[in-house]
Amino acid sequence: MELTQFFDSVEQHPELQGIGIDACSENNPGVIVKYSKNGLMTRIPVAAVEAADWTVLEEVLTGAREPQVLQHMTRVVGYFSRVENWNKSKVGELKDRQKGNYSIAG
């Protein structure tokens, strides 16, 4: 699939939002897409977008299919890291985290 077709498909999808292009890695640029239902942002290498068709990419981005060719990124302590490099315990910690309304009681 061409990148322009991919971005058009993301733009037309009611639950997906294109965030941008991650060019931090010159050897492996990727696109970042946000799923509005759960707020998950997924980084997809450009090579994976070009190699797959829209139905597969949509299923992965919306959680209907297990991500095999995609990389998930998370920001933990001030920097981004790839989730697939983590061990089972660290992935479990990530799943256990919850969004909350954190404030200082005054």
Side-chain angles (χ1 to χ4, degrees):
M1 156 173 255
E2 292 183 21
L3 281 179
T4 54
Q5 293 173 324
F6 174 77
F7 284 120
D8 289 343
S9 298
V10 167
E11 189 174 302
Q12 293 172 4
H13 196 283
E15 298 172 336
L16 297 175
Q17 176 187 5
I19 300 298
I21 296 178
D22 171 26
C24 292
S25 173
E26 293 178 15
N27 298 333
N28 191 17
V31 296
I32 300 174
V33 178
K34 181 178 181 180
Y35 182 45
S36 63
K37 271 192 170 180
N38 62 9
L40 179 69
M41 286 197 277
T42 305
R43 180 187 184 276
I44 309 170
V46 170
V49 171
E50 293 171 342
D53 62 359
W54 172 246
T55 56
V56 172
L57 293 169
E58 179 186 25
E59 287 175 351
V60 172
L61 289 168
T62 59
R65 178 179 174 159
E66 198 60 35
Q68 301 274 328
V69 296
L70 305 180
Q71 299 172 353
H72 287 179
M73 304 282 285
T74 186
R75 182 173 182 262
V76 179
V77 288
Y79 62 92
F80 288 94
S81 65
R82 293 189 176 132
V83 175
E84 69 265 7
N85 295 337
W86 291 4
N87 61 32
K88 286 183 180 182
S89 298
K90 193 69 174 174
V91 172
E93 288 177 19
L94 178 65
K95 289 179 181 178
D96 290 341
R97 285 194 188 104
Q98 297 180 9
K99 292 183 180 179
N101 184 11
Y102 303 103
S103 63
I104 298 173

